[in-house]
Amino acid sequence: MRISDVARHAGVSPSTVSYVLSGKRSISPATRRRVLDSIDVLGYQPHAGARALASNRSNVIALVVPLRPGIHVPVAMQFAVSVVTSARDREHDVLLLTQAEGEGGLRRVAGTSMVDGIIVMDVEVDDARIPTLRSLSHPSVLIGVPAETEGLTCVDLDFEAAGRACAAHLAALGHREIALIGQPPSVYERRTGFAERTVAGFRAEAHERGIGSAVVPCDAAPTAVAAAVTGLLGERPGVTGLVVHNEPAVAPLLDAVRGLGREVPADISVVAIAPDDVATETSPPLTSVSLPAEEVGGRAVSLLMDKLDDLGPPEVTLLPPRLVPRASAAARPALP
């Protein structure tokens, strides 16, 4: 919904609607009433960032980061910091919203003049916030990709390709049975998009290459990680390659493997999907697909600015994964 739609409905020029909203010029009571009636009928939500009123923008964007169970806050904050930094480069401030308020929170923020646009994180496959985002006059960008993207603007790492890249790397090293130590169960239960897409890519690549695979959701507590690794290798002793997509589980996983009398990578190869600082600070440093938080956050802000300027960005932008070989993955050990 645009100011031009209100103007057409009220039978006035867009500038007249702007003057009614801004109060910068005297408008006759009858015309003012007609414009306000059209706003009510059309459900238009005027705000300081209205595109035709660029000079009245608040220069603030909202970043919705619901800190729900299973979210690893340090990684979420890497994305948040990248959004804040990119926004400041464009002379915008960021209003950070961390409560899981859902649709009501979006409407509350959009119903005020506080922000010009909204960036949303932790996107689910069937995200309940999507219909509301489509209905708001405020432009929005999702860091994440839901099942239906029509009318939306989304950006993320291509997690399906990342899952495939990890499985393909282990397969190329000769591993015939591999497993994914994944996100906490609550992340899969609410069908978070990035987690589901990683699993889908991992499973598809393993299947296409004819190798065995398993997926083990895992809480981040060290005892939970140790139990998951012990249970997996007890049930599937042929597993020689692990992919870990759970940042706080990385160090406990390596400890658990060693606790079972096995070495990385001599007995078990490990590949991570994690920020570079997580992958490089372990012993040995992990072969990994990096989480490009800085690039994703910067792209999200850039796409939102394009929408504010009516430039019509693409619906979905997926960043290709970059796998960096390090010391944690090697050829499958010879069979006894």
Side-chain angles (χ1 to χ4, degrees), residues 61-122:
I61 61 177
L63 175 60
V64 182
V65 192
L67 299 182
R68 296 185 271 214
I71 292 292
H72 186 48
V73 175
V75 171
M77 288 302 104
Q78 286 188 19
F79 284 90
V81 168
S82 72
V83 169
V84 171
T85 302
S86 296
R88 285 308 307 147
D89 288 343
R90 295 170 179 266
E91 299 184 343
H92 280 66
D93 292 315
V94 175
L95 175 66
L96 183 62
L97 306 173
T98 59
Q99 296 297 316
E101 297 180 272
E103 308 95 294
L106 292 173
R107 291 194 181 279
R108 176 176 60 80
V109 172
T112 71
S113 59
M114 289 192 297
V115 302
D116 298 331
I118 303 170
I119 295 176
V120 177
M121 290 178 54
D122 196 39

Side-chain angles (χ1 to χ4, degrees), residues 156-164 193-194 197-198 201 245 273 291:
D156 208 352
L157 173 68
D158 189 339
F159 278 98
E160 181 175 352
R164 280 184 171 275
F194 75 87
R197 298 202 315 276
T198 301
H245 185 204
I273 300 174
L291 291 181

Side-chain angles (χ1 to χ4, degrees), residues 55 69 93 96 101 129 156 164 180 185 196 233 248 258 260 273 296 301 306:
S55 62
D93 292 315
L96 183 62
E101 297 180 272
R129 299 169 294 181
D156 208 352
R164 280 184 171 275
L180 171 67
E196 283 206 1
L233 296 180
R258 295 187 188 103
L260 293 172
I273 300 174
V296 170
V301 172
D306 286 349

Side-chain angles (χ1 to χ4, degrees), residues 252-265:
L253 180 141
L254 295 175
D255 290 340
V257 170
R258 295 187 188 103
L260 293 172
R262 306 199 191 186
E263 294 297 325
V264 175

